[in-house]
Amino acid sequence: MPSVDRSKPPTDWPGLETAGLTQLTEDLYYGWLEDEANPMFWHRCAALAGVPEDRTVSGQWVGAGTHKHTLVSREPLHMEPSLLWRCCNMHGFVRNGVWIPA
Ligand SMILES: [Zn+2]
């Protein structure tokens, strides 16, 4: 396994070159995995701040699919309902390609 610098955002990770990664905020990205209709999101999880990287799956970044959400529009991205990550309670809407904190 090549080592990956997980302090960098997922746009810099090998293996995701074809995912069309898009930055929503400094701490939030999404991309498209093969065979997935809905986007995958990666957020820099505040709950993992200070946790040593070798004790995490991918540094402070947490990946999560959105298969339970409705993909209203792919371009610009619009998902319904709001997205909530319970690990750190990051919560907001993605509408018109923009992250709107809830
Ligand atoms: Zn989190």
Side-chain angles (χ1 to χ4, degrees):
M1 286 279 285
S3 72
V4 177
D5 183 355
R6 301 293 192 181
S7 65
K8 298 211 171 95
T11 40
D12 289 2
W13 301 355
L16 290 175
E17 293 88 348
T18 61
L21 278 162
T22 301
Q23 181 176 20
L24 286 172
T25 75
E26 192 178 327
D27 298 323
L28 187 62
Y29 290 74
Y30 70 88
W32 306 87
L33 301 186
E34 240 176 276
D35 303 324
E36 293 276 347
N38 282 10
M40 176 95 176
F41 280 75
W42 288 266
H43 72 278
R44 198 197 313 254
C45 186
L48 292 175
V51 176
E53 194 165 308
D54 60 1
R55 296 185 56 194
T56 65
V57 176
S58 47
Q60 282 185 43
W61 295 94
V62 173
T66 55
H67 61 279
K68 289 181 180 167
H69 284 74
T70 301
L71 178 62
V72 180
S73 164
R74 185 175 168 125
E75 185 60 48
L77 186 65
H78 182 175
M79 307 285 299
E80 293 290 343
S82 64
L83 294 153
L84 168 65
W85 291 283
R86 296 195 180 279
C87 41
C88 56
N89 286 322
M90 186 184 280
H91 185 202
F93 294 88
V94 183
R95 290 172 176 163
N96 206 24
V98 175
W99 175 253
I100 305 154

